[in-house]
Amino acid sequence: MNLDPQGLFRDHSDSDDEFELEKEKDPSKEMVVYLIDASPKMFDLVGNDEDKSQTYFHAAISSISQSLKTQIIGKSSDEVAICFFNTKEKKNLQDLNGVFVFNVNDREFLDQPTAKLIKEFSCIEALRNLAGTFMSNIGSQYGIIPGSRENSLYSALWVAQALLRKGSPKYVSKRILVFTNEDNPFGNITGAAKTDMIRTTVQRAYDAQEMGISIEILPLSIPNEPFNVSHFYADLIGLEGDEVAQFLPSAVERLEDMTDQLTKRIFKKRIVRTISFSIAEGINIEVNTYALIRPALPGSVTWLDSVTNLSLKAERSFICADTGALVHEPPKRFHPYKNENVKFSVDELSEIKRISNGHLCLLGFKPLDLLKDYHNLKPSTFIFPTDEAIIGSTKIFIALHRSMLQLKRFALAFYGGSANPRLVALVAQDGVTSSSGQVEPPGMHMIYLPFSDDIRHVEEAVQLQTTADAGVPHATDDQIKKASVLMKRMELKDFSVCQFANPALQRHYGILQALALGEDEMPDIKDETLPDEDGMARPTIVNALEDFKIAVYGENHDLEEVSSKKSSGTDASRKRKAMVEAAVESAANHDWADLADNGKLKDLTVPELKNYLTAHNIPVTGKKEALISRILTHLGR
């Protein structure tokens, strides 16, 4: 391949920006404060059905409870706080009226979710009439009352902002989620008092946003009376223009996602390892490797002490077979050679087996069309440059990256140590951005190439005779057409493997949740891998399937199936009759009453006992004792 040396190592100042932007670290954890409106309006029933005791307050509690159950498995390092406002009782560090921070013992107000927190918080959810724990311990009161200078929403934002004070916004994502069905909290106030309260509350929200705290409103709409964000909350969260009209559908979707989110582990974007990339003799750069795809597996087994319930640590010791003493010296290996054992230390064996130092070494370049799909046998590794150890690694990587994209080449390299040395293909990927942000980062994918024996070639059947002589059936054009129509009808639109959850993994998490929270019943697990019976019953699919059957089996295929079933049923009845006749003939060779009276049934074999039972149409399942018991019962003994 002809490369332009000047173009290869030219300083691409314009293209450095996307790589520099990618270096900014994403927030490693999230802090969330749930603000729940506890005013009497939230305790109205959802809908007009009096038989249902579902209230708006219960809907908010239910969605938060489900979110916490998912979060404790998916992102257990995140921190949450639960805060009610418009309450009779108060519990907060600022000692503000109308704000109650819900918490449990041995936990800070803003801390990682625990099983105890979820369990006690779920008790509020279980009391749908809310005449018990919540009303007696916390209580509810109307929000902002005319003539009063207390602003419960302002106080709640102040408490939430104070809870989110710790942690740098560069490394922590901070959010405040407000649950309410009151779109105009200042509707009862008039005049200058209302203007002043709105101004101070909006200013409090702006102050929180300047500190890197985002505020989201999750409205609980009243039937026939949609939540009107324009009354107040549009100014609070800074909605303008078309954002006001799009707010309610997106907010409802976020609320549904909180309730129906999938239980799964969220893996952080951590560096797998940092390796040296040798481009040429004397030119080495440093790159970080990332695992973009990894299997989701249950957690590893942790052995616990049966008394203290503390984790156990396994230790291994070597004992001398001659003296019984502990061997403290490191073990040595040996290899017999000419009637003598040649000893090796562990370090010497490692050095002998070492093929490479584990770094990435560039071998050359090949056209991209030579790299086939079946060459990718395992998930690839993403590599990205770093200047922490070697200054200038990013610029050299960018020059190589741009040249590979322009010339449509992939790099062939050697990677791995003594354990698993491999040839790999480095495929450059350009950055992809959209209006919502970056979709694909710039960098290279390291694809692990197969060995020659990893590729299995399809064996073609050599037909020594003609098709007619060999009797090999071939589909007609009409059958192929009907099959194509059927496959198009059954094709999944916008299919993605992310649409289906692992039912075994979901069941595992469900069992963990039931054990941790002391639940009597395990949560229902929906197996999305089972066939979609409703979808398969659609008229278009049923008609396409029937046309395909007619094309392959003919018009009367249904009658043939019925006749085959009848014939198979006739054959089965004949076999059954023959078995019964044989059993009757064999059972007649014994005096069963005498055997039962003398207790000699146990001396017979199991097939002999089953012959008696079959002859008298008695079940023959079970062990020998069960068979003897059935015979004695039939004989009246």
Side-chain angles (χ1 to χ4, degrees):
M1 184 180 70
N2 296 324
L3 293 177
D4 178 13
Q6 295 181 355
L8 179 63
F9 294 102
R10 186 179 297 127
D11 187 6
H12 293 264
S13 58
D14 295 337
S15 61
D16 292 357
D17 296 340
E18 57 181 339
F19 282 87
E20 293 297 332
L21 291 174
E22 186 66 22
K23 288 185 178 181
E24 296 182 4
K25 295 183 178 180
D26 295 332
S28 58
K29 64 185 299 185
E30 187 178 47
M31 295 181 178
V32 181
V33 177
Y34 298 102
L35 288 183
I36 308 166
D37 188 0
S39 61
K41 189 176 179 179
M42 285 284 290
F43 294 92
D44 294 339
L45 296 178
V46 177
N48 298 323
D49 192 353
E50 296 295 338
D51 295 334
K52 296 182 179 180
S53 56
Q54 173 91 348
T55 64
Y56 297 99
F57 186 82
H58 172 263
I61 296 295
S62 178
S63 61
I64 296 173
S65 178
Q66 182 60 38
S67 179
L68 292 177
K69 291 176 183 178
T70 306
Q71 186 178 13
I72 200 171
I73 292 177
K75 299 190 295 182
S76 58
S77 62
D78 293 351
E79 299 182 5
V80 299
I82 302 173
C83 182
F84 299 102
F85 65 99
N86 291 328
T87 59
K88 292 181 180 179
E89 302 296 330
K90 62 179 179 179
K91 181 183 177 183
N92 54 83
L93 298 178
Q94 289 74 23
D95 198 32
L96 298 174
N97 293 328
V99 181
F100 189 95
V101 180
F102 184 86
N103 201 17
V104 294
N105 296 331
D106 302 328
R107 184 182 179 275
E108 301 292 335
F109 280 167
L110 180 68
D111 206 344
Q112 297 177 2
T114 62
K116 185 177 181 181
L117 174 69
I118 297 175
K119 190 174 182 179
E120 294 195 11
F121 188 69
S122 299
C123 292
I124 298 178
E125 177 190 357
L127 298 173
R128 297 197 176 188
N129 56 3
L130 298 173
T133 305
F134 182 83
M135 285 300 185
S136 60
N137 297 339
I138 303 175
S140 171
Q141 71 172 1
Y142 286 99
I144 304 167
I145 303 174
S148 174
R149 300 299 297 174
E150 291 186 358
N151 187 344
S152 55
L153 180 58
Y154 175 89
S155 301
L157 293 175
W158 187 358
V159 171
Q161 179 180 337
L163 290 173
L164 296 171
R165 190 169 295 168
K166 64 177 182 179
S168 173
K170 293 183 179 180
Y171 307 106
V172 179
S173 174
K174 302 179 180 181
R175 293 192 300 157
I176 299 176
L177 302 183
V178 182
F179 295 80
T180 181
N181 63 346
E182 178 57 77
D183 56 4
N184 190 8
F186 303 98
N188 298 328
I189 313 297
T190 57
K194 179 177 181 179
T195 304
D196 183 61
M197 284 189 176
I198 293 177
R199 179 184 57 80
T200 55
T201 306
V202 172
Q203 184 61 44
R204 172 58 63 183
Y206 288 169
D207 293 342
Q209 292 170 359
E210 289 180 356
M211 295 177 60
I213 302 173
S214 63
I215 301 177
E216 300 180 25
I217 308 298
L218 296 178
L220 304 167
S221 299
I222 299 176
N224 302 324
E225 188 178 340
F227 192 92
N228 192 344
V229 70
S230 301
H231 285 165
F232 168 71
Y233 284 104
D235 295 333
L236 184 75
I237 58 179
L239 297 180
E240 298 179 353
D242 297 338
E243 296 176 349
V244 177
Q246 299 173 358
F247 166 77
L248 190 58
S250 61
V252 172
E253 184 178 350
R254 290 200 304 271
L255 188 60
E256 292 176 352
D257 290 341
M258 288 185 62
T259 306
D260 301 329
Q261 57 187 322
L262 184 66
T263 303
K264 60 183 179 180
R265 291 184 61 191
I266 305 299
F267 295 97
K268 303 297 182 183
K269 296 179 181 179
R270 296 193 179 98
I271 299 172
V272 176
R273 61 178 301 189
T274 301
I275 59 176
S276 175
F277 185 11
S278 176
I279 297 179
E281 186 175 357
I283 302 178
N284 294 334
I285 64 174
E286 292 285 332
V287 294
N288 293 330
T289 60
Y290 301 85
L292 299 184
I293 299 177
R294 64 179 68 182
L297 301 174
S300 59
V301 176
T302 302
W303 296 99
L304 303 177
D305 186 85
S306 59
V307 178
T308 62
N309 206 32
L310 298 177
S311 59
L312 299 177
K313 181 180 179 181
E315 295 183 355
R316 184 176 64 176
S317 300
F318 293 94
I319 301 176
C320 180
D322 298 330
T323 63
L326 292 176
V327 179
H328 298 285
E329 298 179 357
K332 291 187 177 182
R333 308 293 192 272
F334 68 90
H335 182 77
Y337 180 74
K338 291 185 178 181
N339 298 326
E340 184 178 356
N341 293 331
V342 181
K343 297 181 179 179
F344 296 93
S345 65
V346 176
D347 295 337
E348 290 173 341
L349 283 178
S350 300
E351 190 63 28
I352 292 173
K353 295 180 180 179
R354 186 184 300 276
I355 299 176
S356 172
N357 52 11
H359 295 169
L360 190 62
C361 181
L362 180 63
L363 300 179
F365 300 90
K366 285 182 175 295
L368 272 175
D369 55 2
L370 296 180
L371 189 63
K372 306 301 180 182
D373 293 339
Y374 57 83
H375 289 161
N376 190 7
L377 299 182
K378 56 183 292 188
S380 62
T381 301
F382 189 76
I383 62 175
F384 197 82
T386 174
D387 288 335
E388 293 184 2
I390 301 178
I391 305 299
S393 296
T394 301
K395 291 188 176 182
I396 296 179
F397 187 89
I398 292 173
L400 183 63
H401 177 269
R402 289 303 174 193
S403 297
M404 291 169 61
L405 287 175
Q406 293 170 5
L407 300 174
K408 296 182 180 180
R409 299 289 193 270
F410 73 90
L412 186 65
F414 178 82
Y415 175 70
S418 58
N420 190 20
R422 301 297 294 263
L423 288 177
V424 297
L426 303 180
V427 180
Q429 171 183 279
D430 202 0
V432 178
T433 58
S434 64
S435 58
S436 58
Q438 188 181 70
V439 179
E440 296 288 347
M444 294 186 188
H445 288 280
M446 184 165 62
I447 299 174
Y448 300 90
L449 298 177
F451 293 101
S452 59
D453 55 354
D454 288 331
I455 300 177
R456 301 291 188 267
H457 298 283
V458 179
E459 297 179 0
E460 297 182 359
V462 179
Q463 297 182 359
L464 301 179
Q465 300 175 347
T466 62
T467 303
D469 296 337
V472 179
H474 278 251
T476 63
D477 293 340
D478 182 60
Q479 292 173 350
I480 295 175
K481 181 179 179 180
K482 293 295 192 298
S484 301
V485 172
L486 177 61
M487 297 306 296
K488 290 180 180 179
R489 293 287 186 269
M490 299 174 63
E491 183 182 1
L492 297 177
K493 303 298 182 182
D494 300 326
F495 170 77
S496 173
V497 293
C498 300
Q499 297 173 352
F500 303 94
N502 185 347
L505 198 61
Q506 294 302 305
R507 179 176 176 81
H508 171 74
Y509 289 143
I511 293 174
L512 289 181
Q513 174 184 317
L515 290 175
L517 302 180
E519 298 175 348
D520 296 333
E521 298 181 358
M522 198 186 74
D524 294 333
I525 305 300
K526 183 180 179 182
D527 191 351
E528 298 176 339
T529 62
L530 296 177
D532 184 8
E533 297 181 359
D534 295 336
M536 296 292 291
R538 289 180 299 179
T540 55
I541 295 181
V542 173
N543 295 336
L545 182 59
E546 188 65 24
D547 293 341
F548 175 73
K549 284 184 178 180
I550 293 175
V552 176
Y553 302 108
E555 292 286 348
N556 299 323
H557 65 277
D558 291 338
L559 298 178
E560 295 177 358
E561 291 179 359
V562 172
S563 62
S564 63
K565 289 181 180 178
K566 287 183 179 179
S567 62
S568 63
T570 304
D571 295 339
S573 61
R574 290 175 182 172
K575 292 181 180 179
R576 173 67 180 172
K577 185 177 180 181
M579 290 177 58
V580 171
E581 291 177 354
V584 171
E585 183 179 353
S586 177
N589 297 329
H590 299 282
D591 187 355
W592 294 95
D594 182 64
L595 292 174
D597 293 337
N598 297 325
K600 294 183 179 180
L601 288 175
K602 63 180 181 296
D603 297 334
L604 300 179
T605 62
V606 171
E608 291 174 334
L609 297 174
K610 286 186 176 181
N611 286 334
Y612 177 88
L613 296 173
T614 303
H616 293 84
N617 196 21
I618 302 174
V620 296
T621 58
K623 296 183 179 180
K624 189 175 184 178
E625 292 78 6
L627 302 180
I628 294 174
S629 176
R630 293 194 192 109
I631 295 174
L632 293 174
T633 303
H634 183 261
L635 293 173
R637 298 296 192 274

